[in-house]
Amino acid sequence: MSQLRIFAEQDGETVLESHTDHAAIASALGAVGVRFEQWQANAPIAPGASQDEVIAAYRQDIDRLMREEGYKTVDVVSLNRDHPDKAALRQKFLSEHTHSEDEVRFFVAGSGQFTLHLGDKVYDILCEQGDLIGVPDGTRHWFDMSEQPHFVAIRLFNNPAGWVANFTDDPIAERFPRMPPAASAG
């Protein structure tokens, strides 16, 4: 189940707000400039589907977002529990960082946790299958795919070269919850 938890930036234990309703999540995130949508496939997607088949199943929403936001390229990334470099890949984005372009991810399958540091609040979003999140460029955030990752995600870019992590060296991510293992079991 998708979930948004909001914390004060200095306290990673006390939840100020929590939402599991998609409309409430979209409203709360929209108020701080973050896109959150639900997409449905236009065609069935078989396990192991090719990148082209996955993109074709969501082509209408992809094209709409490309028109609205000017994204130029799209691809599909997949990671599972058996990946030999899963620990290193997870560690790569667990610290607070920014990008010089939007980070747009649609979860075709599985889940991932985006945590955004906006002003004096921290927005912890568990994204599940069917969720799209658009994190604006320059937003301080971190991403957790869990110790046992499982996801297939569509990524949209203006320029993939702009999607380089610029680390803030702020240890804030260490004070907030990581993705629960049960959430990644799907």
Side-chain angles (χ1 to χ4, degrees):
M1 173 182 304
S2 307
Q3 181 179 32
L4 167 64
R5 296 181 299 171
I6 302 173
F7 301 86
E9 71 178 335
Q10 70 277 9
D11 182 1
E13 294 183 17
T14 305
V15 177
L16 302 175
E17 285 182 50
S18 181
H19 303 283
T20 55
D21 175 75
H22 284 104
I25 294 170
S27 177
L29 292 176
V32 293
V34 176
R35 181 185 292 261
F36 186 81
E37 298 178 357
Q38 282 280 286
W39 289 4
Q40 297 294 321
N42 297 327
I45 302 172
S50 71
Q51 174 172 290
D52 289 341
E53 291 168 322
V54 170
I55 290 171
Y58 294 97
R59 177 52 69 190
Q60 184 176 353
D61 283 312
I62 291 169
D63 287 347
R64 174 184 53 82
L65 211 53
M66 292 177 94
R67 278 191 311 275
E68 289 176 6
E69 300 296 333
Y71 300 120
K72 306 279 188 243
T73 62
V74 61
D75 71 7
V76 176
V77 62
S78 176
L79 193 66
N80 65 42
R81 295 166 183 81
D82 299 328
H83 195 287
D85 297 324
K86 66 184 177 186
L89 291 168
R90 179 184 189 218
Q91 192 62 40
K92 187 175 180 179
F93 297 108
L94 282 178
S95 295
E96 185 182 74
H97 60 279
T98 64
H99 301 288
S100 62
E101 93 157 41
D102 296 352
E103 185 165 357
V104 181
R105 301 292 179 268
F106 171 72
F107 286 84
V108 174
S111 57
Q113 179 187 30
F114 281 89
T115 308
L116 316 178
H117 183 189
L118 298 163
D120 64 352
K121 298 244 178 8
V122 171
Y123 294 75
D124 176 63
I125 308 106
L126 178 62
C127 296
E128 298 273 333
Q129 180 178 350
D131 292 340
L132 174 123
I133 188 166
V135 179
D137 66 346
T139 300
R140 295 182 300 168
H141 70 284
W142 54 96
F143 175 73
D144 189 4
M145 62 183 77
S146 94
E147 292 175 359
Q148 297 298 317
H150 167 68
F151 67 87
V152 176
I154 295 173
R155 306 184 301 176
L156 291 106
F157 301 97
N158 283 318
N159 175 5
W163 192 75
V164 173
N166 301 304
F167 292 93
T168 67
D169 295 326
D170 184 335
I172 186 170
E174 297 168 13
R175 298 192 310 262
F176 288 86
R178 298 284 189 222
M179 186 170 167
S184 65

